[in-house]
Amino acid sequence: MLLVPYSCLLHEQTRDALGIRLSSSVVILDEAHNLLEALNDVHSVALSLTQLRVAWAQLCRYLDRYERALSGPSRSSLTRLLRFVKALRDAVAPPAPTGAAPPAAPAAGCAVARVNTFLADCRIDHLNLWELLAFCQRTELARKVQGFVDAADAREAADAGVAARDQRSGAGAAASASYGVIAMLRALTAADADGRVLVQHAGTAAAAGGAGADARAEPSIKYLHLNPTVHLAPIVSQARAVLLAGGTMEPREQLVDALLAGAGEAGKRRLRVHSFGHVVPPANLIGLCVRAAAAAERPLQLVAAERGKEGVLDSVARALGHVRRSTPDGLIVFVPSFAYLAIAQARWLATGALRTELGAHGPVFEEPRDASELDATLSAYARAIRGTDAAVDRRARAPADPAAAAAATADSAAARGRATLLAVVGGKMSEGINFSDELGRCVVLVGLPYPNPKDPELVERMAFLNQAAARAPRAPTSTGGTPAQRYYEGLCMRAVNQSIGRVIRHAADFAAIVLLDARYSLPRVQGKLPAWIRQSLLDVGTAAEAATAMRAFFERHAAPRGGGGE
């Protein structure tokens, strides 16, 4: 039995290097809801402008040092590889014409092209990329160049008396530059229809508005792989059997389509789908679709254009207050993005809602952007719920205003044993972390976390899916919109299902799930939730009604904490 990461199994060259043979093997892929994205990610390649400049400098040094020792064909191949790297570098940062003033920085944006078009625009379509790739693989060029550069840098550092730690500054880009160039070279030999080349200029990420976007993002070039079926088909055809397993496989239409692509009738006969219920009995779960904070208020439809408005944020805070007051122990609130979390917190701090609606019932923690701070945040959250330092956390977070501090101290006893964690869908806390028992008595999904429809990569993926469906001779496995629309909704609902799955981790566990958005009441949305959630789902009008149902639910389950483990 071999246990390997996705990247070692899904990438053919890596499989070959590790000696993994699929013939007559049974391949089991856990967390298979990630499979198609993982296939595309493994076969996509990105290079920053810094990496391209480093790779150019390293190859130049290597050629200067060994030019006389190299054979004619090797010198020619290295020269062509330098031309390839220069073309990529100039595509990201176009040079000024000779004698002209330095060019202005390109406007923030993303240029997208098919592979053949990109190569022609860069004037390297005459290069035989397959020959270049074979040369790099045969000679193990990346390893040799990296070894040469490391040794040369060490000698120069020793001669200059530079400490090793100073010499390693910026080593990350240097260590990956040559390998990255060869990975890009391999990627650009893919079929023209299977991928796109994205040239991103500074500020593209920020313009797209993605969570955690950095306005200072470095210019880069990326080969975006779009067709996972070309790499999934060999695995399915070679293996004796392929088992895709996961706790949140819905919606699965696109995955089934990818499995059956090119498989014909024989492939369809091989496909078996089995769905099993949750180990938790239905009585241990209550799901609530909340359409509004109060009866007199407008329904909450937290679309991107509306959810950041002050009135909407105030309604969300009131709804969360109802949920917090009705929930013992730990409450996890998932919001669509770090950007939205920052906007919401700023508003709730300004209005006092963070203290009155959430903070009055225990300390409030937030998911850190820095992954290195994750463990400390989770530990503090757990300690607060288990009653060891809730009051300390509250005092640490209390406002400087003396009256507010006094109020915080007065209700510290009542706050013991409760805590709220504000987290982000798609963040570190939304997948792979268990909030069992008292750590997760309720999880709230604020809105539907649809990805940014203007994101260049998403635009290309959706366009590819529609084009592939138009060419396909067989009918899709499902109806209801175009393949791109189903993919877009699938991204959202898989993220919802993963976030929900953080609670209720064993057969004796119990929890409430609150879906805070009127759109969760729509049949097409509920149909993409797992069956074990749908069977316990109630459609309530307001957060106050949800709170009443939750209090009754938790009264039925009032018992000492714990109740088992995985």
Side-chain angles (χ1 to χ4, degrees), residues 142-374:
R143 181 184 62 80
K144 291 180 179 178
V145 170
Q146 192 61 55
F148 161 73
V149 170
D150 288 345
D153 287 347
R155 287 194 301 270
E156 292 173 7
D159 292 343
V162 178
R165 62 178 178 273
D166 297 326
Q167 185 225 338
R168 287 195 298 267
S169 177
S176 61
S178 298
Y179 289 97
V181 163
I182 294 173
M184 180 65 76
L185 183 62
R186 178 183 294 109
L188 293 179
T189 61
D192 182 60
D194 287 346
R196 300 292 182 269
V197 179
L198 283 70
V199 178
Q200 298 183 337
H201 301 296
T204 301
D214 184 356
R216 299 166 296 175
E218 186 180 5
S220 63
I221 184 170
K222 180 173 185 176
Y223 171 78
L224 179 68
H225 191 70
L226 299 174
N227 187 4
T229 60
V230 298
H231 301 290
L232 182 59
I235 297 174
V236 173
S237 62
Q238 293 175 34
R240 178 179 176 180
V242 177
L243 175 62
L244 307 183
T248 51
M249 296 293 290
E250 296 290 351
R252 62 172 181 258
E253 291 88 351
Q254 189 196 1
L255 181 57
V256 172
D257 286 344
L259 285 168
L260 296 180
E265 290 301 320
K268 292 180 183 179
R269 287 193 296 270
R270 290 181 64 191
L271 181 66
R272 299 288 186 274
V273 178
H274 300 279
S275 181
F276 304 98
H278 203 288
V279 295
V280 172
N284 283 21
L285 167 68
I286 183 172
L288 299 156
C289 296
V290 177
R291 295 195 298 272
E297 296 187 16
R298 293 173 54 192
L300 285 170
Q301 294 205 14
L302 303 177
V303 297
E306 297 290 325
R307 65 191 182 204
K309 293 182 177 179
E310 291 181 351
V312 175
L313 289 169
D314 294 343
S315 292
V316 170
R318 287 191 291 273
L320 292 178
H322 281 294
V323 174
R324 175 66 280 182
R325 288 188 288 273
S326 306
T327 303
D329 303 325
L331 168 66
I332 304 123
V333 179
F334 282 104
V335 299
S337 68
F338 278 109
Y340 184 69
L341 178 58
I343 292 170
Q345 282 190 299
R347 174 62 180 173
W348 297 341
L349 282 169
T351 62
L354 191 63
R355 180 175 62 84
T356 59
E357 301 291 0
L358 295 175
H361 305 277
V364 179
F365 300 88
E366 64 179 275
E367 178 173 353
R369 286 177 180 262
D370 188 344
S372 65
E373 300 174 9
L374 189 66

Side-chain angles (χ1 to χ4, degrees), residues 31 33 246-251 494 497-498 501-502 530 532:
E31 300 291 344
H33 61 276
T248 51
M249 296 293 290
E250 296 290 351
R494 276 193 294 274
N497 293 337
Q498 278 296 303
R502 297 312 91 217
W532 62 271

Side-chain angles (χ1 to χ4, degrees), residues 498-518:
Q498 278 296 303
S499 300
I500 289 173
R502 297 312 91 217
V503 300
I504 311 185
R505 304 300 298 181
H506 58 82
D509 207 352
F510 60 93
I513 297 168
V514 177
L515 305 175
L516 187 56
D517 192 308

Side-chain angles (χ1 to χ4, degrees), residues 19 50 59 68 86 120 155 267 287 294 336 353 357 383 389 395 439 457 466 469 484 535 560 565:
T50 296
L59 289 168
R68 293 184 180 179
K86 182 179 183 298
R155 287 194 301 270
E357 301 291 0
R383 288 195 303 270
D389 60 358
R395 285 196 294 271
L439 296 183
E457 294 189 15
N466 282 340
Q535 68 184 0

